[in-house]
C-alpha cells in the first residue's frame, strides 16, 4: 500500500474542550447518513461519556490548523482470539477535505494504535448503500463479514430487556 503524506495535517486525541467540534462532526455524519433525527447527543452527554467515564476515544484530524476529520473508537474483546480489538464507531471527513487521503491516514492511525496495543482486530460497520465508503474500505483490504448480522436494542426495548427477572 502506498504511503500517504499530507503536509499540514496532524492527528491528535480530543480533549474535553473539543466537545462542540465532536458534536459538529457527529451532526455532519448524521446528515450524510440521513439520520439527523437520531442525534440526541449534546456537549454535556459527550463530556460525561468521553472524558469523565472514558467510554470511547476520539481523534481529530486537523488540516492546515482546522478540524477536517474525526474518528470515535473503543476497545472490545475477542474471546476466540483472547485479545482486545478496536471497534471504530464513526469516521467522518468533512466534504471539503475529501479526496486528500485524510480518511486513509485516520484509519492507518487507529490501526497503528491497535497494533501497538496488541489488538487482534480492527473492525467497523458500514451502511450497505454507502458505495463510496465500501469501495474505499475494500481498497484498504478490509473484508465485509457477510455471515454476521448486527442486532440492536434501544429505548424502551432496552429497558424491557434490562428489567427481565429470573423466576
Amino acid at each position: 500500500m502506498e504511503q500517504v503524506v499530507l503536509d499540514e495535517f496532524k492527528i491528535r486525541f480530543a480533549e474535553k474542550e473539543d466537545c462542540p467540534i465532536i458534536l459538529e462532526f457527529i451532526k455532519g455524519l448524521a446528515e450524510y447518513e440521513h439520520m439527523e433525527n437520531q442525534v440526541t447527543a449534546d456537549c454535556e452527554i459527550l463530556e460525561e461519556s468521553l472524558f469523565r467515564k472514558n467510554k470511547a476515544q476520539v481523534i481529530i484530524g486537523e488540516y492546515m490548523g482546522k478540524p477536517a476529520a474525526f474518528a470515535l473508537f473503543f476497545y472490545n474483546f475477542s474471546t476466540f482470539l483472547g485479545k482486545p480489538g478496536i471497534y471504530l464507531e464513526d469516521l467522518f471527513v468533512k466534504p471539503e477535505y475529501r479526496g486528500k487521503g485524510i480518511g486513509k491516514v485516520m484509519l492507518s492511525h487507529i490501526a497503528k494504535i491497535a497494533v501497538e496495543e496488541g489488538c487482534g482486530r480492527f473492525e467497523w460497520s458500514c451502511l450497505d448503500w454507502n458505495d463510496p465508503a465500501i469501495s474505499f474500505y475494500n481498497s484498504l483490504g478490509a473484508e465485509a463479514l457477510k455471515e454476521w448480522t448486527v442486532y440492536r436494542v434501544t429505548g424502551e426495548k432496552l429497558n424491557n430487556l434490562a428489567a427481565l427477572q429470573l423466576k
Side-chain angles (χ1 to χ4, degrees), residues 4 9 31 37 48 50 53 87 98 108 111-112 124-125 127 136 138 146 148 151 155 158 162 164 166:
V4 176
F9 182 74
E31 181 180 337
N37 62 333
E48 175 75 13
L50 299 175
K53 292 184 176 177
Y87 186 83
R98 293 181 188 152
S108 176
K112 286 176 190 164
W124 57 90
S125 298
L127 292 167
F136 171 60
N138 287 337
K146 299 192 186 308
W148 291 90
Y151 286 87
L158 176 60
L164 286 180
L166 287 178

Side-chain angles (χ1 to χ4, degrees), residues 47-74:
E47 187 176 321
E48 175 75 13
S49 297
L50 299 175
F51 301 104
R52 282 194 219 117
K53 292 184 176 177
N54 299 312
K55 296 297 183 183
Q57 297 183 48
V58 175
I59 56 172
I60 296 175
E62 295 176 336
Y63 185 70
M64 299 179 72
K66 295 182 180 175
F70 101 119
L72 185 146
F73 62 94
F74 55 88

Side-chain angles (χ1 to χ4, degrees), residues 7-41:
D7 292 331
E8 299 189 58
F9 182 74
K10 76 172 197 173
I11 298 173
R12 64 176 177 83
F13 278 94
E15 298 176 3
K16 182 172 64 171
E17 297 75 26
D18 293 314
C19 284
I21 295 167
I22 296 168
L23 186 57
E24 177 186 329
F25 278 116
I26 291 169
K27 289 179 177 180
L29 176 62
E31 181 180 337
Y32 177 79
E33 294 181 342
H34 313 292
M35 297 178 169
E36 301 96 328
N37 62 333
Q38 294 185 31
V39 177
T40 60

